[in-house]
Amino acid sequence: VGFELSPPSLHQLGLSPALRWLVESLHARYGIAIEFDDGGYSRPMDEPRRVVVFRAIRELLINAAKHSGASQVRLTLRETKDGLLVSVEDEGVGMIENSVGRVGTGLLSIRERLAHVGGTLRIRSAPGHGTSIELEAPCSDDAREGTENP
């Protein structure tokens, strides 16, 4: 479990290579197809944020594999002015957006961990219409505070 939460590739190679490994691992374990598009993302992210973002994506993908009923999930990364925008989308069973707090603690925990590093989580879902979750995180404290490196 420790290896999957923090694989060596995450620390040695960065977020995109670690996510490629995760996508393959989850496909082998759950049989779900995960379309991964990193959009050429290559901006360095400080290690604490990289770990939080990786673990959040891992949990979102596992949730989709276990609970959505979808046969395919899309994972996309896009650079923003100050950081990274991640989207995890499926066309599964969906959920009532207001029930997120009652569905389980996983999404609330992700939201709290992201907030701790200056990130946000947005959920769009409806029963029978799938789920789209976006998380946004700055790449560093400088981006989070709106300052630049000297």
Side-chain angles (χ1 to χ4, degrees):
V1 171
F3 181 83
E4 190 173 296
L5 287 173
S6 192
S9 61
L10 180 62
H11 306 287
Q12 297 166 357
L13 303 174
L15 187 60
S16 287
L19 289 172
R20 279 189 205 89
W21 168 83
L22 179 65
V23 163
E24 291 172 14
S25 174
L26 294 178
H27 174 71
R29 185 182 317 155
Y30 296 104
I32 191 163
I34 302 170
E35 177 187 322
F36 177 45
D37 175 8
D38 71 2
Y41 178 78
S42 62
R43 183 183 290 173
M45 179 177 277
D46 67 33
E47 187 156 350
R49 283 177 181 78
R50 192 168 57 236
V51 170
V52 167
V53 168
F54 178 84
R55 289 180 180 177
I57 293 169
R58 176 186 173 273
E59 189 161 347
L60 293 174
L61 291 174
I62 289 173
N63 284 350
K66 286 183 166 182
H67 306 296
S68 75
S71 60
Q72 183 170 347
V73 176
R74 284 177 305 286
L75 167 62
T76 57
L77 308 183
R78 294 294 179 257
E79 286 190 30
T80 64
K81 179 181 168 234
D82 296 323
L84 173 66
L85 174 66
V86 176
S87 175
V88 177
E89 300 174 285
D90 68 62
E91 294 177 3
V93 298
M95 61 185 165
I96 300 171
E97 286 185 46
N98 312 16
S99 71
V100 170
R102 290 173 275 166
V103 172
T105 59
L107 292 173
L108 292 175
S109 177
I110 291 170
R111 182 174 276 144
E112 288 174 2
R113 289 188 310 251
L114 284 168
H116 184 70
V117 297
T120 59
L121 180 76
R122 290 180 297 280
I123 302 166
R124 289 187 315 271
S125 188
H129 296 283
T131 301
S132 173
I133 299 178
E134 290 183 340
L135 63 91
E136 209 164 346
C139 288
S140 68
D141 280 332
D142 292 336
R144 178 177 161 183
E145 296 167 5
T147 61
E148 294 185 20
N149 288 330

